[in-house]
Amino acid sequence: MAAAAKIDPMHQFAIAPIAGEELVASPFMFTNSALWMLIVTAAIVVFMWGGTRRQLVPGRWQAAVEVVTGFVGNITRQNIGPEGRAFLPWVFTAFMFILFSNWIGALPLAIVGPHPFTVTSQFTVTGVLSLTSFAIVLAVGFWKHGLHFFSLFVPHGTPFILKILIAPIEFISFLVRPFSLGLRPFVAMFAGHILLEVFGNFVVQGLNAGIDGSPLGWAIAVLCFVFVIGVNALELLVGAIQAFVFALLTALYIKDAVHLH
């Protein structure tokens, strides 16, 4: 009974093979993480497919797609300028992938089916997205400015003495960008899902205590259930905010590469 009641909030983040074989370090191993990435991709394709219907009077589906594309388009245009249109495909792709991954992972699908796997709770996933953004920044910076790109680390008009102090700090800050960019959505989803798992187990244990004759168990179960609903709603909000922040910071970093200071 003690083993059955044990709370293991980390189990939901475990990567496991779909076919049930032993997990090995192989690029050909199809895991639950890969499966849910395909599900997220399919959901995005279906959602975007609804926006391809160029009706004179758009329906709700088409209007939703147009709102999202316009929203991300404004992020790139306002922060990068006219050149931002060239980077819209990547910023939009990152925004949609993080948004759909966060939202699908927060859905209570385990009630009727398999427990969803939140791929953005894996730092390898968000890290690859941030490294891709960083690679674009470096490629654009050196392609557009050459070695003059290093002037990004020295604010214009800074006295020579201060340049010696500021340049290393700016360079280290620049190198930290991909780490912080990928860490932010990972930590948000990781922490939120642990809270849901822990309080979800409290609900079950409270119900079991109530069945065994403890009135306090019913009260604890109800209180924890209300808390789970609130955290789940907060997870949806945080998931959208994290997708927005990732897209916004990516656009700002690209702006630095395009315009320098």
Side-chain angles (χ1 to χ4, degrees), residues 116-224:
F117 186 89
T118 309
V119 296
T120 44
S121 66
Q122 302 291 321
F123 185 62
T124 52
V125 175
T126 58
V128 168
L129 292 174
S130 63
L131 286 175
T132 303
S133 297
F134 193 64
I136 293 174
V137 170
L138 292 177
V140 171
F142 284 111
W143 175 76
K144 189 175 180 64
H145 305 286
L147 294 179
H148 186 62
F149 177 63
F150 288 107
S151 66
L152 177 65
F153 309 127
V154 182
H156 181 70
T158 304
F160 178 76
I161 299 298
L162 291 180
K163 288 181 180 180
I164 299 176
L165 299 175
I166 293 177
I169 297 175
E170 289 290 331
F171 182 70
I172 294 174
S173 176
F174 181 80
L175 293 180
V176 170
R177 285 181 177 182
F179 179 76
S180 62
L181 187 64
L183 185 66
R184 191 176 290 103
F186 154 71
V187 169
M189 292 299 102
F190 190 83
H193 280 63
I194 287 181
L195 276 177
L196 288 173
E197 182 78 12
V198 170
F199 280 90
N201 277 277
F202 286 168
V203 172
V204 175
Q205 293 183 14
L207 291 176
N208 290 335
I211 293 174
D212 292 339
S214 173
L216 183 60
W218 295 108
I220 292 176
V222 172
L223 182 62
C224 291

Side-chain angles (χ1 to χ4, degrees), residues 44-91:
I44 295 173
V45 170
V46 171
F47 175 73
M48 295 305 300
W49 171 78
T52 60
R53 304 176 182 180
R54 298 297 181 183
Q55 300 177 354
L56 183 60
V57 180
R60 295 180 180 178
W61 196 345
Q62 180 181 336
V65 173
E66 291 177 353
V67 167
V68 174
T69 53
F71 175 73
V72 181
N74 287 334
I75 293 177
T76 57
R77 183 170 57 256
Q78 293 176 3
N79 292 282
I80 305 176
E83 300 92 339
R85 187 176 182 87
F87 307 101
L88 177 59
W90 167 245
V91 177

Side-chain angles (χ1 to χ4, degrees), residues 3 8 18 21 25 57 68 79-81 105 108 111 157 252:
D8 183 15
I18 295 298
E21 66 267 23
V57 180
V68 174
N79 292 282
I80 305 176
I111 297 177
L252 290 174

